Each structure stands twice: as structure tokens, then as C-alpha cells.
Amino acid sequence: MTKIITIDGPAASGKGTLARALAEHLGYFYLDTGAIYRLVALSLLDREISPEDDEDTAVMVADTLATSFTTDMMNNSKLRSDSVGQMASRVAALPKVRDALQNLQRTLANNPPNGGAGSVLDGRDCGTVICPDATNKFFITANTEVRARRRYEELMSRGIEADYRQVLAEMDQRDKRDREREASPLKPASDAIVIDTSDLDAAQALHTVLENLN
Ligand code: DC
């Protein structure tokens, strides 16, 4: 059976870096589930559509993505901007959009496209909803200031001018929406191991996860 490791947590908690490093270490497939919501968001931004005002189109975009998805779509650098992240959080609050994308995520998790023996999923609801029977579940946190600082430094290193206060405010807003929505909110699975990365670097976070694998 395919081994599945879920890594959920709020924005800039370090879960993406960790999940990617873990997948590489184990030879597993890395599935960035946030990128799937970001693909829907990018398409709506390109069409200037508000998901709250035109839910039918948002669901149609998600349905189309579910049938046409290829893993190289996740490499689109346009997906990484903060405006796409905010829009992804808005589309992700719509239950019908989530329904349209769930099977895609489960199918990829259980049938790793790289032929690996397992998958590492990074997201918000991977351990609670997408793969509740995962082999290992982790929930990654870090205090808000540390997360905003990481995000700010990431933007600056990519040559994108940013204001720390604004990064912090937008991150808070996105996390609040992701935590408080009714459909699959951001929360640790009851059997997840919670790791606070506020005082850990990437290598230490990976080491902690490896020590806790079944
Ligand atoms: O992990 P990320 O920043 O790329 O995710 C972008 C948004 O997508 C996030 O704010 C909420 C949504 N998301 C979700 O609702 N469920 C997931 N499993 C992954 C992401």
C-alpha cells in the first residue's frame, strides 16, 4: 500500500520546505495541495472573476482543472504571488470548489506520479479530510511574527518589494479565513504530531519529522 505522510499548517509555517525535503529524502511524490487551489485562483484572477459573486464559474474552473491536471502545472511561477495566495484562500472556502478537487488530490496521493513508494502531502486539510488514514500526520506551526518574517524575507530574496506590517496583516487575514471557514477548516488532525518550527531551521525540522515516522 502507498505510504502517505500529511503535513498541514498555516501559511509560512515552513511546511512547504519541510514537505519537499522529506519527499526528496524518501523518494516519495511531493503534492503541494495549495498549488491546486492557487491554479483555480490564478484562472479566476486572469478572468477578473470574484468567487463570492460567481461561484458557478469558480466550480466550473475547479471541475475543468480536476480533469485536465498535470503535475507540471504546479511549477508555474505565477502561482507563488501573495495576491494568488489570498485568492486561493477565498476560493478554498467554497465547499463545491473543495468537492471538485478532493478526488484529484486523493488519486495523486494514492498513485504517486513519480512511481515512488509513497506521497507527502502539504496543505490545510490533508490529515483531516483528504487522507484521514495517512501513515503519518504532522501539523506544523510557528509564531505569527516568525512566519511573517520568513514570508517577508522570501519576498525580498525574490526581488519583490514588501512591507513587513502588510505581510503580517495579510497573513493573519488569510489564516483567519482558513481556520474559520466551515468547509474543511485548517486544524490539526486528532492524531497529528504538532511541531513548532519557531526555533528550528529547515534541517532541524526535517530531523524532527524523520525521528517521528512510523
Ligand atoms: O499552502 P498555500 O499557501 O499554497 O495555500 C493557498 C491557500 O489554499 C490557503 O490559504 C488555503 C487553501 N488551501 C486549502 O484550503 N486546503 C489545502 N489543502 C491547501 C490550501
Short mmCIF file of all heavy atoms in Angstrom, two decimals, residues 7-12 15-16 30 32-38 41 79-81 84-93 98 105 121-127 130 151 174-175 177-178 181 183-186, ligand 1:
data_model
loop_
_atom_site.label_atom_id
_atom_site.label_comp_id
_atom_site.label_asym_id
_atom_site.label_seq_id
_atom_site.Cartn_x
_atom_site.Cartn_y
_atom_site.Cartn_z
N ILE A 7 1.29 16.81 5.88
CA ILE A 7 1.92 17.93 6.58
C ILE A 7 1.03 19.15 6.41
O ILE A 7 1.04 19.79 5.36
CB ILE A 7 3.34 18.19 6.03
CG1 ILE A 7 4.16 16.89 6.16
CG2 ILE A 7 4.00 19.36 6.74
CD1 ILE A 7 5.63 17.02 6.07
N ASP A 8 0.22 19.42 7.43
CA ASP A 8 -0.69 20.57 7.36
C ASP A 8 -0.17 21.69 8.25
O ASP A 8 0.65 21.46 9.14
CB ASP A 8 -2.09 20.15 7.83
CG ASP A 8 -2.76 19.19 6.86
OD1 ASP A 8 -2.86 19.54 5.67
OD2 ASP A 8 -3.19 18.10 7.28
N GLY A 9 -0.70 22.90 8.01
CA GLY A 9 -0.32 24.02 8.86
C GLY A 9 -0.64 25.34 8.19
O GLY A 9 -1.02 25.38 7.02
N PRO A 10 -0.50 26.44 8.95
CA PRO A 10 -0.81 27.77 8.40
C PRO A 10 0.27 28.25 7.43
O PRO A 10 1.31 27.61 7.28
CB PRO A 10 -0.87 28.65 9.66
CG PRO A 10 0.01 27.97 10.64
CD PRO A 10 -0.09 26.50 10.36
N ALA A 11 0.01 29.40 6.82
CA ALA A 11 0.93 29.99 5.83
C ALA A 11 2.31 30.25 6.46
O ALA A 11 2.40 30.65 7.62
CB ALA A 11 0.34 31.30 5.32
N ALA A 12 3.35 30.00 5.68
CA ALA A 12 4.74 30.30 6.07
C ALA A 12 5.17 29.62 7.37
O ALA A 12 6.05 30.12 8.07
CB ALA A 12 4.97 31.82 6.15
N LYS A 15 6.05 24.44 6.34
CA LYS A 15 5.57 23.11 5.94
C LYS A 15 5.93 22.77 4.49
O LYS A 15 6.20 21.60 4.19
CB LYS A 15 4.07 22.95 6.18
CG LYS A 15 3.21 23.83 5.30
CD LYS A 15 1.76 23.74 5.68
CE LYS A 15 0.98 24.87 5.06
NZ LYS A 15 1.14 25.08 3.63
N GLY A 16 5.95 23.78 3.61
CA GLY A 16 6.27 23.51 2.20
C GLY A 16 7.72 23.04 2.04
O GLY A 16 8.00 22.03 1.40
N TYR A 30 5.89 14.49 -4.03
CA TYR A 30 5.50 15.67 -3.24
C TYR A 30 4.27 16.30 -3.87
O TYR A 30 4.31 16.71 -5.03
CB TYR A 30 6.66 16.67 -3.20
CG TYR A 30 6.25 18.03 -2.67
CD1 TYR A 30 5.62 18.15 -1.43
CD2 TYR A 30 6.45 19.19 -3.41
CE1 TYR A 30 5.22 19.38 -0.93
CE2 TYR A 30 6.07 20.43 -2.92
CZ TYR A 30 5.44 20.51 -1.69
OH TYR A 30 5.03 21.73 -1.21
N ASP A 32 1.82 19.40 -3.47
CA ASP A 32 1.53 20.71 -2.88
C ASP A 32 0.05 20.99 -3.15
O ASP A 32 -0.30 21.50 -4.21
CB ASP A 32 2.45 21.74 -3.55
CG ASP A 32 2.17 23.16 -3.12
OD1 ASP A 32 1.27 23.37 -2.28
OD2 ASP A 32 2.85 24.06 -3.66
N THR A 33 -0.82 20.64 -2.20
CA THR A 33 -2.27 20.79 -2.47
C THR A 33 -2.66 22.26 -2.59
O THR A 33 -3.62 22.59 -3.27
CB THR A 33 -3.13 20.09 -1.40
OG1 THR A 33 -2.90 20.71 -0.12
CG2 THR A 33 -2.84 18.61 -1.32
N GLY A 34 -1.90 23.15 -1.93
CA GLY A 34 -2.18 24.58 -2.05
C GLY A 34 -2.03 25.05 -3.49
O GLY A 34 -2.76 25.94 -3.94
N ALA A 35 -1.09 24.45 -4.22
CA ALA A 35 -0.87 24.85 -5.62
C ALA A 35 -2.12 24.57 -6.45
O ALA A 35 -2.40 25.28 -7.43
CB ALA A 35 0.34 24.13 -6.19
N ILE A 36 -2.88 23.55 -6.08
CA ILE A 36 -4.10 23.21 -6.83
C ILE A 36 -5.14 24.32 -6.63
O ILE A 36 -5.77 24.77 -7.60
CB ILE A 36 -4.61 21.81 -6.39
CG1 ILE A 36 -3.55 20.76 -6.79
CG2 ILE A 36 -5.96 21.51 -6.99
CD1 ILE A 36 -3.88 19.35 -6.39
N TYR A 37 -5.28 24.79 -5.37
CA TYR A 37 -6.20 25.93 -5.13
C TYR A 37 -5.65 27.19 -5.80
O TYR A 37 -6.42 28.02 -6.31
CB TYR A 37 -6.40 26.14 -3.63
CG TYR A 37 -7.23 25.03 -3.02
CD1 TYR A 37 -6.63 23.94 -2.42
CD2 TYR A 37 -8.62 25.05 -3.13
CE1 TYR A 37 -7.39 22.90 -1.91
CE2 TYR A 37 -9.38 24.01 -2.63
CZ TYR A 37 -8.76 22.94 -2.02
OH TYR A 37 -9.52 21.91 -1.53
N ARG A 38 -4.33 27.33 -5.80
CA ARG A 38 -3.74 28.51 -6.46
C ARG A 38 -3.99 28.50 -7.97
O ARG A 38 -4.15 29.54 -8.59
CB ARG A 38 -2.23 28.57 -6.16
CG ARG A 38 -1.91 29.05 -4.75
CD ARG A 38 -0.43 28.95 -4.42
NE ARG A 38 -0.17 29.31 -3.04
CZ ARG A 38 0.29 30.50 -2.61
NH1 ARG A 38 0.59 31.44 -3.49
NH2 ARG A 38 0.49 30.74 -1.34
N ALA A 41 -7.33 29.83 -8.42
CA ALA A 41 -7.28 31.27 -8.12
C ALA A 41 -6.70 32.07 -9.28
O ALA A 41 -7.24 33.11 -9.67
CB ALA A 41 -6.44 31.49 -6.86
N LEU A 79 2.06 31.27 -9.67
CA LEU A 79 1.25 30.76 -8.56
C LEU A 79 1.72 31.27 -7.21
O LEU A 79 0.99 31.26 -6.23
CB LEU A 79 1.28 29.22 -8.51
CG LEU A 79 0.70 28.48 -9.71
CD1 LEU A 79 0.83 26.98 -9.51
CD2 LEU A 79 -0.76 28.86 -9.92
N ARG A 80 3.00 31.72 -7.14
CA ARG A 80 3.59 31.98 -5.83
C ARG A 80 3.29 33.36 -5.27
O ARG A 80 3.64 33.64 -4.13
CB ARG A 80 5.12 31.81 -5.89
CG ARG A 80 5.67 30.50 -6.37
CD ARG A 80 5.09 29.20 -5.89
NE ARG A 80 4.47 29.13 -4.58
CZ ARG A 80 3.61 28.19 -4.21
NH1 ARG A 80 3.23 27.26 -5.04
NH2 ARG A 80 3.11 28.20 -3.02
N SER A 81 2.63 34.24 -6.00
CA SER A 81 2.44 35.61 -5.50
C SER A 81 1.43 35.64 -4.35
O SER A 81 0.59 34.74 -4.19
CB SER A 81 1.96 36.53 -6.62
OG SER A 81 0.59 36.30 -6.87
N VAL A 84 -2.26 35.78 -5.45
CA VAL A 84 -2.80 34.46 -5.80
C VAL A 84 -3.09 33.67 -4.52
O VAL A 84 -4.11 32.99 -4.41
CB VAL A 84 -1.85 33.70 -6.75
CG1 VAL A 84 -2.32 32.27 -6.97
CG2 VAL A 84 -1.77 34.42 -8.10
N GLY A 85 -2.21 33.81 -3.50
CA GLY A 85 -2.43 33.12 -2.22
C GLY A 85 -3.73 33.56 -1.55
O GLY A 85 -4.51 32.75 -1.06
N GLN A 86 -3.96 34.88 -1.56
CA GLN A 86 -5.21 35.40 -0.96
C GLN A 86 -6.42 34.90 -1.72
O GLN A 86 -7.42 34.48 -1.11
CB GLN A 86 -5.22 36.95 -0.99
CG GLN A 86 -4.35 37.61 0.05
CD GLN A 86 -4.90 37.49 1.47
OE1 GLN A 86 -6.01 37.04 1.70
NE2 GLN A 86 -4.09 37.87 2.44
N MET A 87 -6.34 34.93 -3.05
CA MET A 87 -7.47 34.47 -3.85
C MET A 87 -7.69 32.96 -3.65
O MET A 87 -8.83 32.48 -3.59
CB MET A 87 -7.23 34.80 -5.33
CG MET A 87 -8.33 34.35 -6.25
SD MET A 87 -9.93 35.07 -5.83
CE MET A 87 -10.02 36.39 -7.02
N ALA A 88 -6.59 32.22 -3.49
CA ALA A 88 -6.70 30.76 -3.26
C ALA A 88 -7.46 30.51 -1.96
O ALA A 88 -8.31 29.61 -1.88
CB ALA A 88 -5.31 30.13 -3.20
N SER A 89 -7.18 31.30 -0.94
CA SER A 89 -7.86 31.15 0.34
C SER A 89 -9.36 31.44 0.19
O SER A 89 -10.20 30.77 0.80
CB SER A 89 -7.21 32.10 1.35
OG SER A 89 -7.95 32.20 2.52
N ARG A 90 -9.70 32.40 -0.66
CA ARG A 90 -11.13 32.72 -0.88
C ARG A 90 -11.82 31.60 -1.65
O ARG A 90 -12.92 31.18 -1.29
CB ARG A 90 -11.25 34.05 -1.65
CG ARG A 90 -10.95 35.25 -0.77
CD ARG A 90 -10.78 36.52 -1.59
NE ARG A 90 -11.92 36.83 -2.43
CZ ARG A 90 -11.91 37.75 -3.40
NH1 ARG A 90 -10.81 38.45 -3.63
NH2 ARG A 90 -12.98 37.97 -4.12
N VAL A 91 -11.19 31.09 -2.72
CA VAL A 91 -11.87 30.02 -3.48
C VAL A 91 -11.95 28.75 -2.64
O VAL A 91 -12.91 27.98 -2.74
CB VAL A 91 -11.20 29.69 -4.85
CG1 VAL A 91 -11.26 30.84 -5.79
CG2 VAL A 91 -9.79 29.19 -4.71
N ALA A 92 -10.93 28.56 -1.77
CA ALA A 92 -10.89 27.33 -0.96
C ALA A 92 -11.98 27.31 0.11
O ALA A 92 -12.24 26.26 0.71
CB ALA A 92 -9.52 27.20 -0.31
N ALA A 93 -12.60 28.45 0.36
CA ALA A 93 -13.68 28.50 1.35
C ALA A 93 -15.00 28.00 0.77
O ALA A 93 -15.96 27.78 1.51
CB ALA A 93 -13.83 29.92 1.88
N ARG A 98 -14.03 22.82 -3.17
CA ARG A 98 -13.25 21.77 -2.46
C ARG A 98 -13.68 20.38 -2.93
O ARG A 98 -12.85 19.52 -3.18
CB ARG A 98 -13.44 21.89 -0.94
CG ARG A 98 -13.05 23.24 -0.36
CD ARG A 98 -12.88 23.17 1.14
NE ARG A 98 -11.65 22.48 1.49
CZ ARG A 98 -10.46 23.03 1.52
NH1 ARG A 98 -10.31 24.32 1.24
NH2 ARG A 98 -9.39 22.33 1.82
N GLN A 105 -6.83 15.10 -5.55
CA GLN A 105 -5.77 15.02 -4.54
C GLN A 105 -5.61 13.60 -4.00
O GLN A 105 -4.49 13.10 -3.84
CB GLN A 105 -6.08 15.99 -3.39
CG GLN A 105 -6.07 17.44 -3.84
CD GLN A 105 -6.60 18.38 -2.77
OE1 GLN A 105 -6.08 18.45 -1.66
NE2 GLN A 105 -7.65 19.11 -3.08
N LEU A 121 2.00 14.96 1.39
CA LEU A 121 1.02 16.00 1.03
C LEU A 121 1.19 17.20 1.94
O LEU A 121 1.30 17.03 3.16
CB LEU A 121 -0.40 15.47 1.22
CG LEU A 121 -1.02 14.73 0.05
CD1 LEU A 121 -0.29 13.41 -0.18
CD2 LEU A 121 -2.48 14.45 0.33
N ASP A 122 1.16 18.37 1.35
CA ASP A 122 1.29 19.60 2.13
C ASP A 122 0.03 20.43 1.90
O ASP A 122 -0.41 20.59 0.77
CB ASP A 122 2.61 20.27 1.66
CG ASP A 122 2.61 21.77 1.57
OD1 ASP A 122 1.77 22.44 2.17
OD2 ASP A 122 3.52 22.29 0.88
N GLY A 123 -0.62 20.87 3.00
CA GLY A 123 -1.85 21.65 2.83
C GLY A 123 -2.48 22.10 4.13
O GLY A 123 -1.77 22.49 5.07
N ARG A 124 -3.81 22.10 4.17
CA ARG A 124 -4.54 22.54 5.36
C ARG A 124 -5.40 21.41 5.92
O ARG A 124 -5.65 21.35 7.11
CB ARG A 124 -5.47 23.72 5.02
CG ARG A 124 -4.80 24.95 4.40
CD ARG A 124 -3.92 25.66 5.41
NE ARG A 124 -3.35 26.92 4.90
CZ ARG A 124 -2.41 27.01 3.97
NH1 ARG A 124 -1.90 25.92 3.43
NH2 ARG A 124 -1.95 28.19 3.60
N ASP A 125 -5.92 20.54 5.02
CA ASP A 125 -6.89 19.52 5.44
C ASP A 125 -6.45 18.12 5.01
O ASP A 125 -7.28 17.23 4.88
CB ASP A 125 -8.26 19.83 4.82
CG ASP A 125 -8.22 19.75 3.30
OD1 ASP A 125 -7.12 19.84 2.71
OD2 ASP A 125 -9.30 19.58 2.69
N CYS A 126 -5.16 17.94 4.75
CA CYS A 126 -4.71 16.65 4.20
C CYS A 126 -4.87 15.52 5.21
O CYS A 126 -5.29 14.42 4.86
CB CYS A 126 -3.26 16.77 3.73
SG CYS A 126 -3.06 18.01 2.44
N GLY A 127 -4.58 15.81 6.48
CA GLY A 127 -4.69 14.77 7.50
C GLY A 127 -6.11 14.62 8.03
O GLY A 127 -6.48 13.56 8.55
N ILE A 130 -8.55 14.87 3.37
CA ILE A 130 -8.11 14.25 2.11
C ILE A 130 -7.62 12.82 2.37
O ILE A 130 -8.06 11.88 1.71
CB ILE A 130 -7.00 15.09 1.43
CG1 ILE A 130 -7.49 16.51 1.14
CG2 ILE A 130 -6.51 14.43 0.13
CD1 ILE A 130 -8.65 16.60 0.18
N ARG A 151 8.15 35.01 5.51
CA ARG A 151 7.46 35.35 4.25
C ARG A 151 8.06 36.63 3.67
O ARG A 151 8.30 36.72 2.46
CB ARG A 151 5.97 35.52 4.55
CG ARG A 151 5.13 35.79 3.35
CD ARG A 151 4.96 34.54 2.50
NE ARG A 151 4.30 34.86 1.25
CZ ARG A 151 4.78 34.53 0.05
NH1 ARG A 151 5.88 33.84 -0.07
NH2 ARG A 151 4.12 34.87 -1.04
N ARG A 174 -5.49 35.78 6.02
CA ARG A 174 -5.62 34.50 5.29
C ARG A 174 -5.78 33.33 6.27
O ARG A 174 -6.64 32.47 6.09
CB ARG A 174 -4.39 34.32 4.39
CG ARG A 174 -4.42 33.06 3.58
CD ARG A 174 -3.76 33.27 2.24
NE ARG A 174 -2.32 33.31 2.26
CZ ARG A 174 -1.54 32.26 1.99
NH1 ARG A 174 -2.09 31.10 1.70
NH2 ARG A 174 -0.24 32.37 1.98
N ASP A 175 -4.97 33.33 7.33
CA ASP A 175 -5.05 32.24 8.31
C ASP A 175 -6.41 32.22 9.00
O ASP A 175 -6.97 31.16 9.26
CB ASP A 175 -3.95 32.37 9.36
CG ASP A 175 -2.59 31.98 8.79
OD1 ASP A 175 -2.55 31.30 7.76
OD2 ASP A 175 -1.58 32.38 9.38
N ARG A 177 -9.24 33.28 7.79
CA ARG A 177 -10.24 32.73 6.85
C ARG A 177 -10.10 31.21 6.76
O ARG A 177 -11.09 30.48 6.80
CB ARG A 177 -10.07 33.39 5.48
CG ARG A 177 -11.19 33.04 4.52
CD ARG A 177 -10.93 33.49 3.08
NE ARG A 177 -10.81 34.91 2.91
CZ ARG A 177 -9.67 35.53 2.59
NH1 ARG A 177 -8.56 34.85 2.41
NH2 ARG A 177 -9.64 36.82 2.42
N ASP A 178 -8.87 30.72 6.65
CA ASP A 178 -8.65 29.28 6.51
C ASP A 178 -9.07 28.50 7.76
O ASP A 178 -9.57 27.38 7.68
CB ASP A 178 -7.17 28.98 6.20
CG ASP A 178 -6.73 29.50 4.83
OD1 ASP A 178 -7.60 29.82 4.00
OD2 ASP A 178 -5.51 29.60 4.59
N ARG A 181 -13.38 28.96 8.26
CA ARG A 181 -14.36 28.53 7.27
C ARG A 181 -15.02 27.23 7.74
O ARG A 181 -14.44 26.47 8.52
CB ARG A 181 -13.68 28.34 5.91
CG ARG A 181 -12.73 27.18 5.90
CD ARG A 181 -12.07 26.98 4.53
NE ARG A 181 -11.18 25.87 4.60
CZ ARG A 181 -9.95 25.81 4.08
NH1 ARG A 181 -9.47 26.83 3.41
NH2 ARG A 181 -9.21 24.74 4.21
N ALA A 183 -16.03 24.69 5.63
CA ALA A 183 -15.63 23.53 4.84
C ALA A 183 -14.16 23.20 5.11
O ALA A 183 -13.27 23.99 4.79
CB ALA A 183 -15.83 23.82 3.36
N SER A 184 -13.90 22.05 5.71
CA SER A 184 -12.53 21.57 5.94
C SER A 184 -11.59 22.65 6.46
O SER A 184 -10.59 22.97 5.82
CB SER A 184 -11.95 21.01 4.63
OG SER A 184 -12.80 20.11 4.04
N PRO A 185 -11.89 23.22 7.64
CA PRO A 185 -11.02 24.30 8.13
C PRO A 185 -9.62 23.80 8.49
O PRO A 185 -9.43 22.60 8.71
CB PRO A 185 -11.74 24.76 9.40
CG PRO A 185 -12.55 23.60 9.84
CD PRO A 185 -12.95 22.87 8.60
N LEU A 186 -8.69 24.75 8.53
CA LEU A 186 -7.32 24.45 8.96
C LEU A 186 -7.34 24.05 10.43
O LEU A 186 -7.74 24.85 11.29
CB LEU A 186 -6.45 25.70 8.78
CG LEU A 186 -5.09 25.70 9.49
CD1 LEU A 186 -4.17 24.66 8.88
CD2 LEU A 186 -4.45 27.07 9.42
O1 DC B 1 -0.36 26.40 1.12
P1 DC B 1 -0.69 27.61 0.22
O2 DC B 1 -0.28 28.91 0.83
O3 DC B 1 -0.15 27.44 -1.15
O4 DC B 1 -2.30 27.60 0.12
C1 DC B 1 -3.01 28.64 -0.50
C2 DC B 1 -4.45 28.65 0.01
O5 DC B 1 -5.12 27.47 -0.46
C3 DC B 1 -4.59 28.62 1.53
O6 DC B 1 -4.63 29.92 2.07
C4 DC B 1 -5.88 27.87 1.74
C5 DC B 1 -6.01 26.98 0.53
N1 DC B 1 -5.72 25.58 0.81
C6 DC B 1 -6.73 24.82 1.36
O7 DC B 1 -7.79 25.35 1.69
N2 DC B 1 -6.57 23.48 1.55
C7 DC B 1 -5.41 22.90 1.24
N3 DC B 1 -5.25 21.58 1.45
C8 DC B 1 -4.33 23.65 0.70
C9 DC B 1 -4.53 25.01 0.52
#
